Amino acid sequence: MSTRTAAQQISSATGYMLLRLGDLARERIERELRRWEISGKELRVLGYAHERELAQRDLCELCGMDRTTMVSVVDKLERLGYASRARSDVDRRKHLVVLTGRGRQVVEEALAHMAEVEAAFLATLDPAERRQLNDMIARLYVANDPARSASP
Amino acid sequence: MSTRTAAQQISSATGYMLLRLGDLARERIERELRRWEISGKELRVLGYAHERELAQRDLCELCGMDRTTMVSVVDKLERLGYASRARSDVDRRKHLVVLTGRGRQVVEEALAHMAEVEAAFLATLDPAERRQLNDMIARLYVANDPARSASP
DNA sequence: TATTGTTATACTCTATAACTATA
DNA sequence: TATAGTTATAGAGTATAACAATA
């Protein structure tokens, strides 16, 4: 039997620490992106729309987002002048999300900044540890992603 | 300049992978706790109340939770028969949260189960890697916790 | 008939403000 | 006057259902 209290068992569990560290990373990312008035979710949409012209429906699949949520995301990106909707000539039901020049600039600035923030976040680890961490996280994600293990 | 697309840069960032892995851990934890009809948040409250009789206000501080949120948590724990409120004799404003026998049983069952789930979650890592991961997560949390760096 | 996008609506989670009772 | 707890309410964030336009 354990000599630790229930609260200690919870606080020291790797799974719970992982969850809390993930929250810390999220909070940091969201805070840093405020200077461009966007959330992490919105940056992800901008990132996918940066290279190719994609319909809202495609962005929903890529970002794992509901189509009604996507409507409000694209509304906001239009309001900020980062993107605009363009009806597809091929299929007029589709609204392609096209980044503006400012939108492209925001993606590039934000990604450069996030790389700096990440370096600061990981500064307590040496380069070898950072590689190990990245590798372990990737393996854990693949091993535990319900989407991958869902009956194919 | 980078040869990777913006979307690739986002997806491969350690910070973002960490955030998503944390979400995966949270989803797994919440799913596994459903068999006792509780959330991770509620298990944390049960865990702290397991050893000592604490007032709702104390539990709020320990769990980083608002007092209005705590009211609904304790309401639910009472409804499930896992805890009950007892007015403090010392300070009759305070409601001590006292676990029932069933509540104690739930804490012990749930913690034992979560240890199994965690082992499965980390199964892709060997024991040395698991220790390294735990150590790195703890260091990253301390280094990046806003609560610790907030002007003392 | 199915799909894309939109709107209106509801639901969950959490926090703010106002209140009661105790100190 | 301040604190512990409660209630009512509001605010994000997201999802469901019904609808319009198009295929």
Side-chain angles (χ1 to χ4, degrees):
Chain A
M1 46 187 286
S2 172
T3 65
R4 295 182 305 163
T5 67
Q8 284 168 343
Q9 278 180 67
I10 294 170
S11 306
S12 64
T14 303
Y16 181 55
M17 287 169 54
L18 204 52
L19 177 164
R20 290 195 309 165
L21 185 61
D23 285 346
L24 229 51
R26 168 180 285 111
E27 286 156 21
R28 182 67 174 276
I29 289 168
E30 301 295 347
R31 180 154 31 101
E32 296 291 340
L33 289 176
R34 274 187 213 138
R35 83 174 66 170
W36 295 279
E37 299 178 76
I38 57 173
S39 65
K41 180 180 70 185
E42 288 146 9
L43 178 59
R44 228 173 328 134
V45 171
L46 284 174
Y48 279 111
H50 185 262
E51 303 298 324
R52 289 191 294 149
E53 287 183 356
L54 294 163
Q56 292 182 201
R57 138 98 218 205
D58 304 319
L59 290 166
C60 285
E61 282 199 357
L62 290 165
C63 299
M65 209 176 285
D66 189 86
R67 58 190 176 154
T68 63
T69 304
M70 186 59 67
V71 170
S72 58
V73 168
V74 179
D75 281 351
K76 181 175 167 187
L77 296 177
E78 276 197 323
R79 203 172 343 111
L80 288 166
Y82 296 168
S84 63
R85 287 171 165 98
R87 286 196 103 91
S88 164
D89 291 333
V90 187
D91 183 343
R92 291 186 51 73
R93 291 173 301 182
K94 298 196 174 186
H95 288 185
L96 303 176
V97 177
V98 184
L99 294 208
T100 61
R102 176 63 185 144
R104 300 191 165 275
Q105 189 185 14
V106 165
V107 170
E108 281 146 32
E109 284 175 13
L111 289 183
H113 184 62
M114 293 318 293
E116 285 176 28
V117 171
E118 178 173 297
F121 194 90
L122 301 177
T124 192
L125 306 181
D126 65 41
E129 286 178 321
R130 265 171 258 176
R131 282 192 299 276
Q132 280 178 3
L133 178 68
N134 200 282
D135 170 66
M136 289 195 280
I137 292 173
R139 282 161 58 202
L140 285 170
Y141 195 87
V142 170
N144 291 287
D145 184 4
R148 285 179 191 259
S149 59
S151 49
Chain B
M1 45 187 288
S2 172
T3 66
R4 295 182 304 164
T5 67
Q8 284 168 342
Q9 277 180 67
I10 295 170
S11 306
S12 64
T14 303
Y16 181 55
M17 287 169 53
L18 203 53
L19 177 164
R20 288 196 309 166
L21 185 61
D23 285 346
L24 229 52
R26 167 179 286 110
E27 285 156 22
R28 183 66 175 276
I29 289 168
E30 301 295 347
R31 180 156 29 101
E32 296 290 340
L33 289 176
R34 273 187 215 138
R35 85 173 66 169
W36 295 280
E37 297 178 79
I38 56 173
S39 65
K41 180 180 73 186
E42 287 145 9
L43 177 60
R44 231 175 326 134
V45 171
L46 285 174
Y48 279 111
H50 185 262
E51 302 298 323
R52 290 191 294 149
E53 286 183 356
L54 293 164
Q56 291 182 201
R57 138 100 219 204
D58 304 320
L59 290 166
C60 285
E61 283 198 358
L62 290 165
C63 299
M65 208 176 285
D66 190 85
R67 58 190 176 152
T68 63
T69 306
M70 186 58 68
V71 169
S72 59
V73 168
V74 179
D75 282 350
K76 182 175 167 186
L77 296 178
E78 275 196 324
R79 202 173 344 110
L80 288 167
Y82 297 168
S84 63
R85 287 170 166 98
R87 286 196 103 91
S88 163
D89 291 334
V90 187
D91 183 341
R92 292 187 50 74
R93 289 173 304 183
K94 296 195 176 186
H95 289 184
L96 302 176
V97 177
V98 184
L99 293 208
T100 62
R102 176 63 185 143
R104 301 191 165 275
Q105 189 185 15
V106 165
V107 170
E108 280 146 33
E109 284 175 13
L111 288 183
H113 183 63
M114 292 319 293
E116 285 175 28
V117 171
E118 177 172 298
F121 194 89
L122 301 176
T124 191
L125 307 182
D126 65 42
E129 287 178 319
R130 266 171 257 175
R131 281 192 299 275
Q132 281 177 1
L133 178 68
N134 200 282
D135 171 67
M136 288 195 279
I137 291 173
R139 283 160 60 202
L140 285 171
Y141 195 87
V142 171
N144 292 287
D145 184 4
R148 286 182 190 256
S149 59
S151 49

